[in-house]
Amino acid sequence: QKEVEQNSGPLSVPEGAIASLNCTYSDRGSQSFFWYRQYSGKSPELIMSIYSNGDKEDGRFTAQLNKASQYVSLLIRDSQPSDSATYLCAVNIGSGYALNFGKGTSLLVTP
Amino acid sequence: GAGVSQTPSNKVTEKGKYVELRCDPISGHTALYWYRQSLGQGPEFLIYFQGTGAADDSGLPNDRFFAVRPEGSVSTLKIQRTERGDSAVYLCASRLAGEDEQFFGPGTRLTVL
């Protein structure tokens, strides 16, 4: 069973702080890594994708990938209450394959 | 442009009944995926279509589940003899050929009484 592990949380951070969300995966053949945001009662929304080791920045979001450690993270800078949601880490071994999801980390940004 | 659409948004049925869930992918997306999500869990893969054919159906839990995509666009997920354990949100995602990113529809919440 190929696992994607996330701390379920909730992770609580004050408004304006940096939120750090972590994910580990077991399949060393994994090639593509994604972060989805899911608001309560809504479907997953893609916010970041990363394919190479290192950092990838998009606005307030930074994804970090370390394939040697089988670890991917998402940093949210200047966290806002509207960032409160569940963040799902998803991994696959290539574009023709299904996504393997973690259970998600619940993030709460308090005003 | 329009995103992935799914109908119905909610479906309540009785144990033993047959249901059909529909997914209309983003225009031009040749790859289509079905997932289901239970409360507190991440989405779990069911089936993947490339064009009209099912390229991977390894996630279908049993033979009560079946999906089709006859013209390579709209897909229908069919569940026979529904059981209470089938209650979940059924999500559809589509992907553009040559790209890696999958985009999800709003889902169908299925409740089996």
Side-chain angles (χ1 to χ4, degrees):
Chain A
Q1 178 71 15
K2 297 187 170 57
E3 303 282 342
V4 177
E5 300 287 346
Q6 296 181 256
N7 189 322
S8 62
L11 173 65
S12 183
V13 300
E15 184 174 358
I18 295 175
S20 178
L21 304 162
N22 304 314
C23 172
T24 59
Y25 59 94
S26 64
D27 187 353
R28 285 199 169 273
S30 299
Q31 297 293 323
S32 306
F33 306 85
F34 306 92
W35 284 98
Y36 285 83
R37 177 175 63 198
Q38 187 170 30
Y39 292 114
S40 181
K42 301 297 185 182
S43 63
E45 173 192 9
L46 180 66
I47 55 171
M48 288 289 286
S49 57
I50 187 167
Y51 306 100
S52 303
N53 281 328
D55 295 1
K56 179 182 177 182
E57 185 175 319
D58 184 359
R60 295 187 297 112
F61 298 101
T62 298
Q64 299 175 317
L65 175 62
N66 184 325
K67 289 186 179 180
S69 300
Q70 296 176 245
Y71 177 93
V72 58
S73 65
L74 179 70
L75 301 178
I76 306 174
R77 289 181 300 282
D78 188 24
S79 295
Q80 301 296 309
S82 58
D83 295 326
S84 298
T86 295
Y87 288 80
L88 295 163
C89 174
V91 173
N92 72 6
I93 60 173
S95 64
Y97 296 89
L99 292 171
N100 189 12
F101 282 87
K103 292 185 178 181
T105 297
S106 175
L107 173 66
L108 178 63
V109 181
T110 55
Chain B
V4 178
S5 62
Q6 293 187 245
T7 55
S9 55
N10 281 283
K11 177 70 177 178
V12 180
T13 191
E14 294 179 342
K15 181 176 178 297
K17 299 290 189 182
Y18 168 82
V19 296
E20 290 189 351
L21 313 178
R22 175 189 166 109
C23 172
D24 198 343
I26 294 171
S27 178
H29 282 202
T30 57
L32 185 148
Y33 302 77
W34 284 98
Y35 296 83
R36 72 175 175 181
Q37 186 175 25
S38 300
L39 196 63
Q41 304 294 315
E44 293 180 305
F45 168 70
L46 295 175
I47 187 168
Y48 157 48
F49 286 91
Q50 180 57 50
T52 59
D56 181 0
D57 65 358
S58 62
L60 295 177
N62 51 60
D63 61 5
R64 295 186 299 105
F65 288 75
F66 188 71
V68 295
R69 195 186 185 199
E71 297 179 359
S73 179
V74 171
S75 176
T76 304
L77 179 65
K78 308 181 180 194
I79 310 174
Q80 299 177 322
R81 304 184 303 282
T82 51
E83 299 178 356
R84 293 192 180 89
D86 298 335
S87 296
V89 176
Y90 288 79
L91 295 163
C92 176
S94 71
R95 175 179 60 79
L96 188 63
E99 302 286 329
D100 289 301
E101 298 166 337
Q102 297 181 26
F103 299 93
F104 283 84
T108 294
R109 181 175 299 278
L110 175 67
T111 303
V112 182
L113 301 176

